[in-house]
Amino acid sequence: MSKLKGVIFSVENTLLEKGEMNMDVFSEVERLIAYLRSKGIEFVVLSNRHWTLQPSGQTLESALKERWGNFNYFCASLDSSIPRKPRPQAVSHALKTMGWDSTEVVYIGSSVMDMRTAVNSDLLFLRAKWFANDTEYGLPFETPLDIARFIDTFCLRGHWWCMSIQDGDFEYYSLAPFSTYKPKYAFYSQDARAAAKSGQGHPEFWLSALVTSIYFTGLHKRIDYITVYPGHKQGAGSPIMEEILDLFGKCFRARYIPDMIVRHKDSVKSQTAAQKGIKVDHLNQLNTIKLNPTPEKSPGKAYAKTPLREGKTVLVVDDFCTRGHSLESARTFLRQTKVDVIMVSWLKTINTDFKRLTPYEPFDPHQPTIFKSAVIEKEYPFAQHFSDHMAPEEIDSLFRAYEDWGWPE
């Protein structure tokens, strides 16, 4: 597992605005550089073009090194041995020179060229919007401070998953335990619940934590499709999670499909069932979901037939997991198409075991199906798979500092 070691900067509309050094913003970029150095994070500049500053005529490389000291400045126009962007060899050259692995690096840029360069190299693309908004790809940031906060909060963590289960074709991960009663979990758990259920709180915190855990642990390299588990009402998708999962997927050619899993009729809400003393299990989920045979390929356009087939991997995201009824039901349906499934949730309810189902005989996952029984094949005890007890402490500390984060003094 990795954490951030290096940053690749582009030039156009990232360091310079239309070739000029806009000092109002550039001073904030310099604070970002100072922050990176304070954390021991190296950086490089990667450019195709040889830039000179006007009216002085000084080269950008010499101007930056006067201000920032020595660092690697890769310019294809000045060195023919450096491949040109957006070819993946351009990034590979920088990674090899610096001794970085791709999961230890993020790419900061602004242009369509930058987007293509990052995507071609499987790098997380942080899109600088302070000078221009030239592409819809990448995670967007309005200011250099926003990027510094993102890096400080999410990219330097030492504890990516609190719970992980890897057992043959069964794979599940969660960021932290969920409990609104235990004091050490309650503060962040209350925010996560508000974010998931009503869009209050800080949904961007939980989604940023999720996608960086996926990236820095290398899970993104295995994913072909991303989807979310639907709420208890009829329908599909999650407006709260859609934008960032779509942007994250596009960084790695992993398509986000919001309506892959469809709730064809309402399920019993767990909270309502508990209040009425109704016992709910996997059947509450299995009997109310199906797969969409022609899901959304892009806004207003559907696949002619399901893209799911053997050899593909689907990432299924849910906000909370208690006993795994929802995620395991999704896996049951998806496995009927022969895809591999990775399940993740923001939080996992404490002291509840994940229950894995005995596989069903083949059935059509694209049609509503009434299952009479749900036989538990295996249980994964919470205590045995709570693999990193430092993860919740780290999440709690970062969450408490998140809203008021500012430049280090």
Side-chain angles (χ1 to χ4, degrees), residues 4 40 55 63 84 87 124 164 171 175 197 224 280 291 297 343:
L4 185 66
R84 299 181 72 86
R87 295 168 59 199
L124 184 60
S164 60
E171 195 168 358
L175 292 169
K197 303 310 177 188
D224 297 291
V280 294
L291 302 185
K297 186 174 184 179
M343 303 171 287

Side-chain angles (χ1 to χ4, degrees), residues 67-136:
R67 304 179 73 95
W68 298 348
N70 192 44
F71 66 92
N72 278 293
Y73 187 99
F74 300 106
C75 178
S77 293
L78 294 176
D79 184 346
S80 60
S81 71
I82 298 173
R84 299 181 72 86
K85 301 188 293 185
R87 295 168 59 199
Q89 290 86 350
V91 167
S92 295
H93 179 87
L95 296 182
K96 183 178 180 180
T97 302
M98 301 302 296
W100 295 334
D101 183 81
S102 62
T103 56
E104 299 170 337
V105 178
V106 297
Y107 186 106
I108 301 177
S110 175
S111 68
V112 172
M113 174 74 78
D114 293 325
M115 174 273 291
R116 291 174 178 165
T117 304
V119 169
N120 288 344
S121 302
D122 277 342
L123 296 185
L124 184 60
F125 179 36
L126 309 187
R127 174 161 51 98
K129 293 179 61 179
W130 43 81
F131 289 136
N133 189 22
D134 295 330
T135 176
E136 295 180 352

Side-chain angles (χ1 to χ4, degrees), residues 84-342:
R84 299 181 72 86
K85 301 188 293 185
R87 295 168 59 199
Q89 290 86 350
V91 167
S92 295
H93 179 87
L95 296 182
K96 183 178 180 180
T97 302
M98 301 302 296
W100 295 334
D101 183 81
S102 62
T103 56
E104 299 170 337
V105 178
V106 297
Y107 186 106
I108 301 177
S110 175
S111 68
V112 172
M113 174 74 78
D114 293 325
M115 174 273 291
R116 291 174 178 165
T117 304
V119 169
N120 288 344
S121 302
D122 277 342
L123 296 185
L124 184 60
F125 179 36
L126 309 187
R127 174 161 51 98
K129 293 179 61 179
W130 43 81
F131 289 136
N133 189 22
D134 295 330
T135 176
E136 295 180 352
Y137 282 67
L139 305 186
F141 295 89
E142 298 288 343
T143 67
L145 183 145
D146 291 336
I147 285 187
R149 179 172 77 160
F150 178 84
I151 289 173
D152 197 61
T153 305
F154 304 111
C155 301
L156 302 178
R157 289 147 56 205
H159 310 278
W160 300 111
W161 305 113
C162 83
M163 188 171 186
S164 60
I165 307 171
Q166 300 167 63
D167 184 13
D169 66 0
F170 185 95
E171 195 168 358
Y172 167 74
Y173 305 91
S174 184
L175 292 169
F178 173 75
S179 173
T180 56
Y181 299 103
K182 280 194 172 287
K184 59 183 177 180
Y185 308 142
F187 187 68
Y188 69 76
S189 291
Q190 289 166 353
D191 185 88
R193 183 171 61 182
K197 303 310 177 188
S198 62
Q200 305 289 317
H202 300 81
E204 78 287 352
F205 177 91
W206 299 103
L207 289 161
S208 296
L210 189 75
V211 299
T212 47
S213 285
I214 293 167
Y215 178 67
F216 286 104
T217 58
L219 286 181
H220 67 289
K221 295 184 177 182
R222 297 164 47 204
I223 297 165
D224 297 291
Y225 302 105
I226 302 172
T227 194
V228 296
Y229 196 79
H232 75 282
K233 291 285 189 181
Q234 284 187 29
S238 167
I240 292 170
M241 291 195 258
E242 181 167 330
E243 181 179 8
I244 194 167
L245 291 181
D246 182 44
L247 292 172
F248 179 72
K250 286 175 179 175
C251 287
F252 310 106
R253 297 192 177 94
R255 188 178 296 277
Y256 173 70
I257 302 180
D259 59 345
M260 182 185 296
I261 305 169
V262 177
R263 180 82 69 188
H264 61 80
K265 70 174 183 178
D266 292 358
S267 65
V268 177
K269 195 174 182 180
S270 298
Q271 184 178 1
T272 302
Q275 292 171 347
K276 295 183 177 181
I278 301 171
K279 182 180 179 180
V280 294
D281 58 13
H282 291 88
L283 294 178
N284 183 43
Q285 303 298 325
L286 290 167
N287 292 336
T288 58
I289 65 168
K290 66 171 186 167
L291 302 185
N292 189 344
T294 55
E296 180 180 292
K297 186 174 184 179
S298 58
K301 183 178 181 180
Y303 284 94
K305 59 181 182 179
T306 177
L308 305 181
R309 61 184 184 275
E310 190 171 5
K312 299 296 184 181
T313 298
V314 176
L315 176 74
V316 183
V317 181
D318 204 358
D319 43 25
F320 301 103
C321 175
T322 301
R323 294 178 176 83
H325 294 161
S326 298
L327 288 172
E328 177 63 354
S329 296
R331 192 179 77 93
T332 295
F333 274 75
L334 287 165
R335 288 292 290 158
Q336 290 290 314
T337 71
K338 307 299 184 183
V339 298
D340 293 321
V341 180
I342 300 173

Side-chain angles (χ1 to χ4, degrees), residues 15-41:
L15 301 180
L16 301 181
E17 182 183 22
K18 299 178 181 178
E20 296 184 2
M21 193 175 286
N22 180 329
M23 292 307 299
D24 289 340
V25 177
F26 188 76
S27 62
E28 289 295 288
V29 174
E30 293 202 302
R31 298 188 79 171
L32 174 57
I33 296 296
Y35 161 77
L36 294 175
R37 284 194 155 141
S38 74
K39 294 294 182 178
I41 301 169

